[in-house]
Amino acid sequence: MSALAAVSRTRASIQPLNASRSAGSSIVQLQQRRGYAAVKKGKSSKQGTQSFRGGKDDGQGQLTQAKREKKLGAFRPMPSSQLTHKIFESDRLNELRLPPFQPETLTESNAGKAMVLSISDNDPARIFGFRVLSKPATLVRNVTLRVVDKLQAASQQSSENNRLIFYGSSGCGKSFLLLQGVQYAKSMNWIVLYIPRAINLVNSTSTYTYDLRTQTYLQPVFAYQTLQRFLTVNSTALQSLTTDREIGIENRAPVPAGTSLKDLIEIGLKDQMMAPTVLAELLEVLGRQTEFPVLLAIDDFQALYCKSSYRDPHYAAIKSWHLSMPRLLLEYASGKKTFFIGALSMTNTTFKLSTELRYALKLQSWMHPSPYLKTAPEVEEFTKGIKTLKVPDQLSMGEAASLFEVWMKDFALLEKGSNIRSTDELFLSKYTESGGNARDFVWKGLLSTLEIPLLSEKETQRLQ
């Protein structure tokens, strides 16, 4: 995923942290997963010897059963969002003087150039949970400009014929291309609903209850969280939009026409069990209004067509379209409703891209599903009208060079003033090793390399 060039502040924060400790500062950079057991003062415990069979000698020759000792846990680096002290502040991206990722800068002349993503407090990447670092930059590729053109065209017409799926090899940049589309739509004042991890809808990490009325399994917690994030990102637009008809919600009085969508969402936030119904009605209203374009973006889209990890009372796996959240999203993806773009993921083997879905999306039309396995009719029903967009498997030489330049000039791989240098040989070797794959070029090439050439002492003095 990953034409991603972002600033890591881990290296820059090591030395200032040590300095702050010597000065008596109480800043803590690490957080503990489990705390140590407290030792009571004034009491001492007899120490015996540990036996080979797990027992313990009590000091009098008697072997007692040893108690299971508590794990002391592990230390993990704190998320960069929690490092709020001024010593962790960095303006290195400002030193790079990269242009901002905005609609007016997304032109053919800027293809292959790196740009800064401005992450605001209500930015979709921050609120919906895409895993980016504190101050990310992005690479504008030719395929980025194609997605921007398609979004511009879709904003002026019905999205029934403007539903896209990004596909390509693992690590080619599908997820980050989807994020670029979300960022562009938000900058153009679209209403955005972004699902960065659709696998979380089907991996049995959220509670579910059976609803006799809809004959589906409701997911009230996930629907509640989606309403919260949706309101945070789109609060201004939702305040100005109102319901166009009376909406009936169980166990309460109907919501009258003319109610603002923000107030409609508040109903679901007050009662978690109403959240699935409120979310479905909210998307219905948004599909009928014409004041704001609306974008639904789903990553890990193939997971919505797999068997989920949820179980019914007979312990049989529940199909994803029998769960309320996946079914709601699939109805919009299939054109029964409106607005949708998504991306397929190749990394998770539990919820992988099936042969049936490949055939339905015409990704490999020659690869027919097995005649010995029953193909669910919902796979064909929920893929009607979806178009595909191929993401290039490799970065071009110019795109990779821009990515390499961001990492090296920003001192993300080395300390400022270090005598480590970047060379054409280093760039070409990492580009060749990764085969031009965007994710491998960054993570397995630049970030894991130990073969960074050093400047000589004379060259270091000359540069300083």
Side-chain angles (χ1 to χ4, degrees):
M1 26 195 225
S2 282
L4 168 62
V7 176
S8 173
R9 290 188 281 188
T10 304
R11 186 185 295 273
S13 63
I14 293 177
Q15 291 184 350
L17 182 63
N18 294 334
S20 65
R21 286 178 178 172
S22 62
S25 175
S26 60
I27 299 172
V28 179
Q29 188 189 13
L30 301 177
Q31 63 182 3
Q32 188 179 10
R33 186 177 300 171
R34 294 194 181 102
Y36 291 97
V39 179
K40 296 182 178 180
K41 295 183 179 180
K43 293 184 179 181
S44 61
S45 59
K46 295 182 179 180
Q47 295 183 353
T49 58
Q50 186 75 28
S51 73
F52 289 103
R53 295 182 179 271
K56 181 177 288 188
D57 189 351
D58 61 0
Q60 299 178 355
Q62 299 294 326
L63 189 65
T64 60
Q65 185 69 26
K67 296 182 179 180
R68 181 176 296 178
E69 296 182 359
K70 295 182 179 179
K71 294 183 179 179
L72 299 181
F75 289 101
R76 298 177 299 172
M78 290 181 65
S80 58
S81 60
Q82 296 184 19
L83 303 178
T84 57
H85 194 274
K86 62 181 181 180
I87 69 172
F88 298 112
E89 293 179 359
S90 172
D91 58 349
R92 292 175 293 172
L93 276 179
N94 295 330
E95 295 177 5
L96 287 176
R97 302 186 184 279
L98 298 177
F101 184 84
Q102 295 177 352
E104 54 270 18
T105 59
L106 299 178
T107 59
E108 293 184 4
S109 60
N110 287 328
K113 294 183 180 180
M115 295 184 180
V116 176
L117 282 174
S118 58
I119 304 297
S120 59
D121 292 338
N122 65 336
D123 191 271
R126 181 189 297 274
I127 301 302
F128 287 108
F130 186 85
R131 296 177 183 176
V132 294
L133 299 180
S134 57
K135 287 186 178 180
T138 184
L139 182 67
V140 178
R141 307 169 66 182
N142 290 323
V143 69
T144 304
L145 302 180
R146 292 178 59 190
V147 172
V148 168
D149 291 339
K150 290 183 178 296
L151 287 174
Q152 287 178 343
S155 65
Q156 304 297 327
Q157 52 186 288
S158 171
S159 58
E160 185 176 356
N161 298 321
N162 292 282
R163 291 170 289 116
L164 282 176
I165 285 291
F166 304 148
Y167 75 99
S169 61
S170 179
C172 68
K174 301 180 295 295
S175 294
F176 210 79
L177 178 63
L178 185 67
L179 177 63
Q180 288 177 328
V182 171
Q183 292 291 128
Y184 169 80
K186 181 58 180 175
S187 64
M188 295 294 290
N189 297 321
W190 287 38
I191 294 176
V192 175
L193 176 58
Y194 179 36
I195 309 293
R197 296 289 181 269
I199 289 177
N200 292 339
L201 296 172
V202 295
N203 62 0
S204 191
T205 56
S206 180
T207 58
Y208 66 112
T209 58
Y210 186 73
D211 183 26
L212 288 173
R213 181 177 60 86
T214 60
Q215 296 184 356
T216 60
Y217 293 87
L218 301 181
Q219 297 170 288
V221 174
F222 204 100
Y224 177 85
Q225 295 172 348
T226 302
L227 285 175
Q228 279 185 321
R229 295 164 181 164
F230 190 73
L231 178 59
T232 303
V233 173
N234 309 287
S235 58
T236 304
L238 294 175
Q239 183 66 47
S240 61
L241 293 176
T242 59
T243 57
D244 55 351
R245 65 183 183 186
E246 185 179 85
I247 297 176
I249 300 178
E250 65 273 13
N251 300 328
R252 61 155 290 134
V255 179
T259 303
S260 72
L261 297 190
K262 186 175 182 180
D263 294 337
L264 177 63
I265 292 178
E266 292 293 344
I267 296 174
L269 297 181
K270 290 178 181 178
D271 188 347
Q272 197 173 83
M273 297 307 298
M274 293 185 184
T277 304
V278 171
L279 180 60
E281 294 292 344
L282 173 68
L283 295 182
E284 286 277 359
V285 176
L286 291 175
R288 292 192 297 266
Q289 60 86 32
T290 57
E291 185 175 349
F292 292 93
V294 184
L295 176 66
L296 171 63
I298 306 173
D299 205 354
D300 295 331
F301 180 66
Q302 79 290 338
L304 303 183
Y305 293 86
C306 301
K307 284 185 178 180
S308 72
S309 299
Y310 291 92
R311 301 287 175 171
D312 64 11
H314 301 286
Y315 205 69
I318 299 174
K319 297 291 182 64
S320 59
W321 45 81
H322 293 158
L323 296 165
S324 63
M325 286 293 296
R327 187 177 186 88
L328 180 64
L329 299 178
L330 285 172
E331 287 177 347
Y332 285 92
S334 63
K336 292 184 177 180
K337 309 281 175 136
T338 54
F339 55 86
F340 166 73
I341 62 172
L344 301 174
S345 174
M346 308 293 182
T347 56
N348 192 300
T349 56
T350 303
F351 303 99
K352 61 183 180 180
L353 180 61
S354 63
T355 306
E356 292 80 3
L357 184 57
R358 287 179 184 269
Y359 183 76
L361 293 175
K362 299 180 176 59
L363 301 181
Q364 293 174 317
S365 57
W366 50 269
M367 185 181 291
H368 292 263
S370 171
Y372 301 101
L373 297 177
K374 181 180 179 181
T375 301
E378 287 85 356
V379 174
E380 182 177 356
E381 179 183 356
F382 287 128
T383 54
K384 288 181 179 178
I386 296 180
K387 300 178 181 179
T388 56
L389 177 65
K390 179 74 165 61
V391 180
D393 295 334
Q394 297 178 328
L395 294 170
S396 67
M397 189 70 73
E399 292 169 348
S402 297
L403 203 58
F404 180 79
E405 183 180 13
V406 168
W407 282 102
M408 300 306 292
K409 283 190 175 182
D410 195 47
F411 301 101
L413 305 181
L414 47 98
E415 295 181 7
K416 192 171 184 179
S418 171
N419 64 338
I420 297 178
R421 64 179 176 182
S422 60
T423 63
D424 292 341
E425 290 80 3
L426 175 63
F427 164 70
L428 290 174
S429 65
K430 299 309 169 187
Y431 182 78
T432 304
E433 290 171 8
S434 63
N437 182 272
R439 181 169 59 200
D440 290 347
F441 178 69
V442 174
W443 293 102
K444 296 182 180 180
L446 299 180
L447 296 182
S448 62
T449 182
L450 297 177
E451 301 176 2
I452 302 180
L454 301 178
L455 291 172
S456 65
E457 185 176 351
K458 290 183 178 180
E459 289 176 320
T460 303
Q461 294 175 355
R462 179 175 57 83
L463 291 177
Q464 292 176 347

